[in-house]
Amino acid sequence: MLLVLLPVTGMLAFTVFGAVSQWHDAQTLRDFRTATALSFRTTALTDAIARERIAAVRARLRPGPATLKERSAAQRATDHALNAALLGAAGRPGPTDVTGRLAARNRQLHALRLQLGTESLTAPQLAAQYDTIEDDLLELAATLESGRPTRTSGQAADTHIALLNAIEAAERERAELAVLFDSPDAPHATATDRWSALEKALLDDFGRTAPADLKGRLYVALLQHPGLVVRKTRETLADPHADRNAWPTYASWLTASTQRIETLRGIQHQAAAELGRDAARDLDTARAREARDLSVSLAVLAAVTVLALTLRLSITRPLSEVSAGARALSEGDLSYDIRYAGRDELGAVADTFRELRVTTERLAGEINTMNTAIDDNRLGHRADVAAFEGTWAQLLGGMNGTMASFAAAHGRRDKAEQELASIFHLSLDLLCIAGLDGYFKRVNPAFEQTLGHSADTLLGRPWLEFVHPEDRARTRAALDRLASGVELAEFENRFVRDDGTERWLQWSARPVTADGLIYAAARDVTESRRAAREQAALRRVATLVARGVPPHEVFSEVADQV
């Protein structure tokens, strides 16, 4: 089995690993194609907003029925493109919240349109507002196309994004220069050549990654009449000595720049189409590889299945029987009997398991006998180690040793309990076990002798009732410290005897909070406290005599101390 199954299983594992890898690659390509499709809708939205921007600028510069109508049409086109982009982004998984960003731009666009209605923005200001919306949408398109699953699709995406940004630079230049040419005599502090420099840099990026046919179309577009007009206009504006009469008119600039941008848009649409074809071609290739690897995996799996069924005919039945017997034995079922008695390797294993079952039954009998002896307190019983060999004998020998240790420990425990009981009952100090619930659990005879109360009385009432009323607050605080796990040492309070007299007790206690108990010992210090007070009184009287105070003061102090 091993000689056949190991290489086949290895080949199957390798094939399955390859199929899984191909599936992941195909999934990545599918996600990239979906992202590019959504990027194209975002690109269409940027084109629509760019057209709305120039229409809004024209309507602000030269308001009239024609320009206002053109602005309204551009706004409707933008709304249509925005709805299409939102529809494509709905339900799209991924780290980028496309729907949220599009919805945010939609709100920003409607707010800008409300400001257009009030005419509170100048043409440069409203162009700047549109620029902000365009920047975010262009960044979104670049993010969507940044997957780069293959080198070809990555270059196509770079080409598309570079040309898209170059067109946006040209759009912003068109709007800015439209404002400039509308009022050529007004002062303009803005550097009008920055957009042309940016566009040139972006077109250079486009040329480094674009295919030859797209670079050829771009070269032709830049040399056509609108492109030449734009170039000449840039050169004129860059010359500080140029006469303003040489500037193009507002209408001629808009016409030339619009035609040039539309030509660039045509190239951009072709670049988008190339990107879409590359993404689809890469996905089709990955799907073909995935189907091929899956077919190979299924063929190998079928071969392994046929081989396994063939081997099953000769080894499954006896192997299942031996396996079931071993499982029953491991679970403690000694009644299962392995009937297979072949002369092959499986037969030898079956004989071994039968012998093991007999030995296990005998071992279980010895263990049950020892457990019965423990329950009957016959700790001198020992198992018959000589009837077993090897590990079984060692196991029973260890159990016999455990039984001997248990018997010795049991004897030591009985002796310790007897000694502890003697100490507890014969101690002159007051020994007790109290609970955190406020009741004594056990007291020694010294308690009855010192306080005069019977053991039943002491155990049946909360022990704070036996404490002098003036000391109960201090005693309760000490009990709280014990309940928190803090040990108590040399704490003194007064207990009231059954005849009403007071006894001063000095306590040492240790809590066991896990069991809710307090182990405490007390010493009757009443006489020592009385002797201490008498000595203190004598010292005070002797001090007055030594000072030579008048006799009537000495007699008064003696009376007070008595």
Side-chain angles (χ1 to χ4, degrees):
M1 285 182 62
L2 292 177
L3 290 176
V4 175
L5 290 179
L6 281 179
V8 174
T9 304
M11 182 174 64
L12 177 62
F14 178 77
T15 306
V16 170
F17 176 79
V20 172
S21 177
Q22 293 296 335
W23 181 84
H24 282 298
D25 292 343
Q27 183 64 38
T28 301
L29 290 169
R30 279 191 290 270
D31 293 341
F32 181 71
R33 190 180 67 172
T34 302
T36 54
L38 185 54
S39 173
F40 295 157
R41 295 195 179 194
T42 306
T43 300
L45 177 59
T46 61
D47 292 344
I49 291 179
R51 292 187 175 93
E52 180 180 340
R53 173 176 53 197
I54 191 62
V57 170
R58 294 181 62 186
R60 185 68 181 86
L61 293 175
R62 299 186 179 183
T67 55
L68 294 176
K69 181 178 180 181
E70 179 184 357
R71 187 182 68 182
S72 298
Q75 290 177 352
R76 287 193 297 272
T78 301
D79 292 338
H80 178 74
L82 181 58
N83 291 332
L86 287 171
L87 182 62
R92 176 186 179 272
T96 304
D97 183 12
V98 179
T99 303
R101 293 179 67 172
L102 291 176
R105 301 291 79 73
N106 184 25
R107 293 190 296 270
Q108 189 176 358
L109 187 61
H110 280 77
L112 177 56
R113 289 174 180 174
L114 291 176
Q115 289 181 300
L116 289 179
T118 61
E119 297 185 357
S120 60
L121 297 176
T122 63
Q125 289 173 340
L126 67 90
Q129 295 282 350
Y130 278 106
D131 293 347
T132 303
I133 299 174
E134 283 280 75
D135 287 339
D136 187 76
L137 292 176
L138 290 172
E139 181 184 354
L140 176 59
T143 302
L144 290 171
E145 296 183 16
S146 62
R148 309 180 68 87
T150 64
R151 180 180 180 183
T152 303
S153 58
Q155 288 183 345
D158 292 341
T159 300
H160 180 241
I161 293 300
L163 189 55
L164 191 63
N165 288 323
I167 293 173
E168 172 59 17
E171 288 278 7
R172 295 187 182 186
E173 180 188 31
R174 175 171 60 161
E176 184 173 327
L177 294 187
V179 176
L180 178 63
F181 296 148
D182 178 69
S183 302
D185 295 331
H188 295 277
T190 306
T192 56
D193 60 342
R194 68 185 187 282
W195 298 120
S196 60
L198 177 59
E199 177 192 329
K200 181 179 182 305
L202 293 170
L203 290 179
D204 290 341
D205 293 340
F206 169 82
R208 282 190 290 270
T209 57
D213 57 336
L214 290 182
K215 287 191 285 188
R217 286 193 59 184
L218 177 63
Y219 181 76
V220 172
L222 296 179
L223 293 180
Q224 288 178 344
H225 175 69
L228 296 176
V229 171
V230 170
R231 175 186 290 183
K232 183 178 179 181
T233 301
R234 291 172 176 172
E235 293 173 352
T236 301
L237 293 175
D239 186 3
H241 303 292
D243 187 3
R244 291 203 173 192
N245 293 327
W247 288 10
T249 63
Y250 170 80
S252 63
W253 164 251
L254 284 178
T255 301
S257 61
T258 300
Q259 291 176 353
R260 179 176 179 273
I261 290 173
E262 291 303 323
T263 303
L264 294 178
R265 278 209 177 95
I267 301 174
Q268 179 252 319
H269 291 159
Q270 184 178 351
E274 290 286 344
L275 175 58
R277 283 193 294 270
D278 289 341
R281 183 169 57 251
D282 291 341
L283 180 58
D284 292 340
T285 302
R287 283 175 173 172
R289 288 198 303 267
E290 183 181 359
R292 181 194 62 203
D293 292 344
L294 181 60
S295 300
V296 173
S297 299
L298 292 176
V300 173
L301 181 61
V304 172
T305 303
V306 171
L307 179 61
L309 291 175
T310 303
L311 294 174
R312 179 180 181 275
L313 297 177
S314 61
I315 65 174
T316 300
R317 185 185 62 81
L319 184 61
S320 300
E321 185 177 350
V322 173
S323 176
R327 186 179 302 107
L329 186 60
S330 67
E331 294 174 355
D333 183 8
L334 302 180
S335 63
Y336 188 88
D337 185 20
I338 301 176
R339 294 184 297 273
Y340 181 73
R343 296 298 180 182
D344 53 7
E345 291 83 353
L346 289 177
V349 173
D351 292 339
T352 303
F353 271 109
R354 280 191 287 268
E355 294 174 1
L356 178 60
R357 191 192 70 174
V358 174
T359 303
T360 305
E361 288 177 343
R362 292 168 51 210
L363 182 64
E366 290 289 345
I367 293 175
N368 290 332
T369 302
M370 185 166 287
N371 289 335
T372 303
I374 293 175
D375 293 338
D376 297 340
N377 202 23
R378 293 184 288 108
L379 302 182
H381 174 78
R382 299 293 182 268
D384 185 8
V385 179
F388 295 86
E389 298 178 353
T391 304
W392 306 124
Q394 296 176 7
L395 175 61
L396 287 180
M399 293 184 65
N400 285 339
T402 301
M403 179 69 88
S405 299
F406 182 71
H410 186 73
R412 290 193 297 272
R413 188 192 67 181
D414 289 343
K415 183 178 179 181
E417 288 180 350
Q418 294 174 2
E419 293 175 352
L420 180 62
S422 299
I423 294 173
F424 189 80
H425 287 88
L426 298 177
S427 174
L428 297 179
D429 289 333
L430 286 73
L431 304 178
C432 69
I433 301 175
L436 293 177
D437 57 357
Y439 284 84
F440 286 118
K441 305 301 179 183
R442 187 177 177 185
V443 296
N444 70 339
F447 257 92
E448 300 179 69
Q449 298 169 4
T450 302
L451 299 181
H453 298 286
S454 66
D456 292 338
T457 302
L458 292 170
L459 299 178
R461 292 162 54 188
W463 57 267
L464 275 176
E465 293 185 5
F466 301 102
V467 177
H468 193 281
E470 295 179 1
D471 294 345
R472 286 178 183 174
R474 292 192 305 108
T475 306
R476 191 175 290 107
L479 179 61
D480 292 339
R481 291 200 300 273
L482 287 169
S484 64
V486 179
E487 295 185 8
L488 193 67
E490 297 183 358
F491 173 76
E492 295 184 3
N493 63 357
R494 288 171 289 177
F495 271 65
V496 180
R497 287 176 47 85
D498 60 340
D499 57 4
T501 59
E502 303 172 3
R503 305 299 295 180
W504 281 90
L505 301 182
Q506 186 181 76
W507 293 89
S508 295
R510 173 176 294 177
V512 182
T513 55
D515 297 334
L517 298 176
I518 300 173
Y519 295 87
R523 177 173 296 174
D524 187 357
V525 295
T526 305
E527 298 303 328
S528 62
R529 286 179 63 89
R530 180 179 293 115
R533 293 180 62 188
E534 290 176 356
Q535 293 297 324
L538 291 174
R539 281 195 298 272
R540 282 191 286 271
V541 172
T543 300
L544 293 178
V545 173
R547 290 178 180 174
V549 299
H552 67 275
E553 293 185 13
V554 174
F555 296 152
S556 177
E557 182 64 26
V558 169
D560 289 341
Q561 295 303 323
V562 171

